[in-house]
Amino acid sequence: MSGTDGGAVIDAGRLRRARYAVAAVFCVHGAVTGSFATRVPWIQDHAGVSAGQLGLALAFPAIGASLAMPLAGSVTHRFGARTALRGLLALWTTALILPSLAPNLLTLCLALFVYGATAGMSDVAMNALGVDVENRLGRSVMSSLHGMWSVGTLIGSAAGTLAAHLGSDARLHHVLAAVTLTVIGAVACRGVLDLRSSPEEEAPPRFALPPKSALVIGAVGFCAVFAEGASLDWSAVYLRDVMSTSPGAAAASTTAFALTMAVARLVGDAVVDRFGAVRTVRAGGVLATAGGLLVVVGPNPWAAMAGFGLMGLGIAVVVPLAFAAAARSGDNASLAIAGVATITYTSGLVAPSAIGAIADATSLVVSFGLVTVLAFGLLLFAGVLAPGRNPASVRRSAAPAGKD
């Protein structure tokens, strides 16, 4: 991408506004996810599918995202970062309507495929812009951007919970949510950088496999997202079945884990700026491993809940840092981010079913023993997140002398 926004030099004030605009985009993206997740029971009843069929259908968002993500780089190159993000985000917000309209399993699978494909492409586009803003500012912002995604998820979930409590039709709920989020997203996109490829820059292939660097970096993200998916989907079950807690306390543990993740991401940039990506992830690996051990060997429910909290703190900033490292790896930024995103999406898909399969064969304690081992992997392999170049040097090369 070139270092100009519509042909003008990007100054510090413009970059700050662009950061806030991208943060709003992340929040909108998360709100769509939260709005959908809370109405899955209604969608299941409306489509008339069994639990097993629903599980099959819920694999299609990840399939759609994995296949569509590599296309995002070509779209951004052709239309420019701002226009591409505006269009892809609008497709994602309006795709929220589709699942609740599906009358059967086949149409639900198709709707969720489109839902996942638009989610994945807009995810790549907004992360690429976030990394570019971070490079030009010369300080970490990716963690707080992903924190805003978590905030959006909580907002969407709260609105969806209220709608479900009132017994509203999910089709009406999702139409209203989609219209609202599409408008907010369009307004937010007006503030992002209008970065365009230089004339001499070769267009990326329409579809390409991720570079090798993304595979290595993505492996670290896999460990973190596996732990996240396992904790979000199974922490309540673990506390209920293994620790014999009440359903209310078990559910509170899941909510607390999500809040811990959101707060840690919002404050994570200051930690990354102070200690660097590698040391931050290594410290996170220590916290996550300690949390996993508390879950597995803790003597009471409070110890297990504290363990899940530590795990959330430990893994919170890993995925944002993985995206940033991929973009700075020297390969095409959009392709590298798409590669990391594909791996993390796959991890999020695999984790819940893998935990269940291992629990069926052995026990939930053994399942979270695996999660603990993967958390320890963060400590061992954090070095792959070392920046290939100094963000400050990128900023200096992108801005004129005397401007930040």
Side-chain angles (χ1 to χ4, degrees), residues 19 22-31 123-124 126-131 134 140-154 225 228 258 260-269 315-325 337 340-341 344-345:
R19 175 189 175 181
V22 175
V25 168
F26 270 77
C27 189
V28 167
H29 196 284
D123 190 293
V124 171
M126 72 185 190
N127 273 285
L129 268 169
V131 170
E134 178 176 275
S140 177
V141 300
M142 286 298 290
S143 179
S144 61
L145 291 180
H146 281 254
M148 289 302 297
W149 187 92
S150 297
V151 169
T153 303
L154 291 171
V225 175
E228 179 181 353
T260 300
M261 289 276 295
V263 172
R265 282 178 170 173
L266 289 172
V267 303
D269 289 323
I315 65 177
V317 301
V318 176
V319 171
L321 291 178
F323 281 131
I337 290 173
V340 170
T344 56
Y345 266 67

Side-chain angles (χ1 to χ4, degrees), residues 6-63:
V9 174
I10 306 172
D11 62 18
R14 179 72 183 88
L15 285 175
R16 283 193 294 270
R17 292 191 295 273
R19 175 189 175 181
Y20 299 142
V22 175
V25 168
F26 270 77
C27 189
V28 167
H29 196 284
V32 176
T33 301
S35 299
F36 166 74
T38 52
R39 304 314 304 270
V40 168
W42 191 99
I43 292 170
Q44 179 185 7
D45 291 341
H46 179 70
V49 298
S50 66
Q53 291 172 327
L54 178 64
L56 171 66
L58 290 175
F60 276 80
I63 296 171

